[in-house]
Amino acid sequence: MTTPKASIVIRTLNESKNLEKLLKGVHEQAFKDWEIVLVDSGSTDGTVDIARRYGANIYHIPKDEFPFGRSLNQGCSEAKGEILVFVSG
């Protein structure tokens, strides 16, 4: 497995309404050397299932440990890309 050039880090909590549109858009880009790192804090609406269908690397953070900074830090520590791209779910 090769190291991706970019890691797209997405924080989520019950984002099924918009996540699929976001992930479709990522997959439609001409640039393809990326990975998706999704940090979820307890979604119950199918968010994780959608992310899984689009090949995201999924990590979980307890809802009570979700502050934006901590969830970004976890996503960054799991990311393998040289460039980090941050997107809110």
Side-chain angles (χ1 to χ4, degrees):
M1 180 176 258
T2 61
T3 302
K5 182 73 172 175
S7 295
I8 302 167
V9 180
I10 307 170
R11 303 170 302 203
T12 59
L13 173 61
N14 293 328
E15 296 289 348
S16 66
K17 179 180 176 186
N18 298 309
L19 185 62
E20 188 154 21
K21 183 176 179 181
L22 168 66
L23 295 176
K24 279 182 183 180
V26 169
H27 279 269
E28 291 171 355
Q29 299 302 307
F31 180 79
K32 300 290 185 188
D33 191 9
W34 46 258
E35 67 170 341
I36 297 171
V37 176
L38 185 121
V39 181
D40 186 75
S41 60
S43 291
T44 58
D45 68 343
T47 293
V48 173
D49 294 330
I50 292 167
R52 194 173 287 120
R53 283 198 314 265
Y54 284 87
N57 300 315
I58 302 166
Y59 302 93
H60 300 277
I61 189 168
K63 196 172 192 176
D64 61 342
E65 294 179 20
F66 178 72
F68 292 108
R70 179 171 288 170
S71 60
L72 276 180
N73 287 344
Q74 180 169 348
C76 291
S77 70
E78 302 294 350
K80 294 172 182 53
E82 177 183 332
I83 300 165
L84 300 177
V85 178
F86 303 113
V87 182
S88 293

